[in-house]
Amino acid sequence: MPTYTTTLRLNDNIVSVTPLPVSQFSLVRAYEYNSIGVAPNVLHGRDKLQTPDGTDLNENAIFFETRVNNNNNPPIFTQQVIDGAFTANEVKVHEYQTFVTFSYPGIVEVKKGVKENEGGTTQGSIYSVLESPIQSEIKATVYEFIQTSSSISESDYTYDSSEGLWAPNNWASIKAEGSQSSNESASLTFFDSQDFKGYRSVQQRGALHTTEVVENVYYNNRLALNGTSSNSQLTVTVVDQGPPNPIGKKWVLDVDLSPAFVAVDGTPYYKKTIIVSDTIPQQLDILPYSNQS
């Protein structure tokens, strides 16, 4: 049987103490105290309160603002308290796994070809090969903290050895420029640009493919340049590569910060949630997280 101090006894002001549900605090202990006439934090300052299992409440426990019920005389005071040790002004209160929707960016790859048709005309071509974006459920870990800071820090984006925050803000972009020469001078006669929203380029930024000097040049299966004396040339450039390949790395998928409560001393506290993916799996012909082979 635990031995309780005087502050936990009914006739010494404490009416009840109830553990807060694990849905709110699973990694630290938290309780709700009810007392008569004197607020629980004041009682704790005089003589340490105890938890339902008889252990002492942390000396630096964080007491929430007091709720007072004046319908009773003397009044009843209610206070919630976190019995956890804060490190660097924060304490982790939850950690659990879940599944979240992840968007794999599509892939764009530029290729080229040269062929000679039956009439002897040399034809060049450059074309884009696309793999569509895909959404899939992936495993992730949710971390929840209580902290005193009202700001999201840079270190939150690399929490748990993550590469960074997965929030692409640019996508693959490609331009094509074609020229035809006459009397040793060249003029730009074809221009096209494409933005591939939701796609990344597998090729790096910069000049990518240039056709040989040929008669006819096709770009994405349409005639771009129609030369008369083997004098047409087309250059395709990756303007923006888009986001990196996410596969094989861990990413922070979301960081959220919101007010949580105000402590009895007036200090505001905030709840921060960080969602970190598991290592992003390869896109396979079999279902992920299955026993297919």
Side-chain angles (χ1 to χ4, degrees), residues 118-170:
E118 294 180 359
T121 302
T122 305
Q123 306 195 65
S125 66
I126 297 182
Y127 52 94
S128 301
V129 178
L130 303 180
E131 294 183 21
S132 298
I134 290 179
Q135 286 191 331
S136 178
E137 294 292 303
I138 64 168
K139 262 186 192 177
T141 302
V142 180
Y143 302 92
E144 295 182 4
F145 304 85
I146 297 295
Q147 65 180 42
T148 55
S149 173
S150 61
S151 301
I152 294 172
S153 66
E154 291 295 320
S155 60
D156 294 334
Y157 303 135
T158 55
Y159 189 76
D160 194 26
S161 302
S162 301
E163 288 291 316
L165 178 67
W166 182 257
N169 61 1
N170 77 317

Side-chain angles (χ1 to χ4, degrees), residues 13-146:
N13 302 107
I14 293 296
V15 177
S16 64
V17 53
T18 307
L20 294 182
V22 293
S23 60
Q24 297 179 37
F25 303 95
S26 61
L27 297 182
V28 296
R29 299 185 304 172
Y31 306 97
E32 183 172 276
Y33 285 85
N34 289 281
S35 61
I36 294 178
V38 183
N41 69 294
V42 176
L43 294 172
H44 185 59
R46 297 175 185 171
D47 186 7
K48 286 184 181 179
L49 295 181
Q50 289 189 316
T51 66
D53 63 5
T55 58
D56 287 343
L57 196 62
N58 192 306
E59 184 176 353
N60 298 315
I62 305 299
F63 282 85
F64 296 19
E65 278 187 313
T66 310
R67 303 196 307 271
V68 183
N69 182 355
N70 280 314
N71 290 325
N72 289 56
N73 189 16
I76 293 179
F77 294 84
T78 300
Q79 272 185 302
Q80 294 183 340
V81 58
I82 298 177
D83 190 26
F86 277 63
T87 303
N89 295 319
E90 71 176 24
V91 61
K92 184 164 63 173
V93 297
H94 277 312
E95 179 180 336
Y96 58 91
Q97 283 197 324
T98 188
F99 276 90
V100 297
T101 301
F102 182 80
S103 295
Y104 288 85
I107 294 173
V108 55
E109 182 177 8
V110 178
K111 296 185 177 183
K112 75 171 182 177
V114 178
K115 67 178 181 177
E116 186 172 316
N117 67 12
E118 294 180 359
T121 302
T122 305
Q123 306 195 65
S125 66
I126 297 182
Y127 52 94
S128 301
V129 178
L130 303 180
E131 294 183 21
S132 298
I134 290 179
Q135 286 191 331
S136 178
E137 294 292 303
I138 64 168
K139 262 186 192 177
T141 302
V142 180
Y143 302 92
E144 295 182 4
F145 304 85
I146 297 295

Side-chain angles (χ1 to χ4, degrees), residues 239-262:
V239 179
D240 284 306
Q241 189 175 358
N245 183 359
I247 293 173
K249 300 172 183 176
K250 293 169 60 174
W251 298 91
V252 169
L253 304 180
D254 189 39
V255 181
D256 181 72
L257 189 67
S258 60
F261 62 89
V262 176

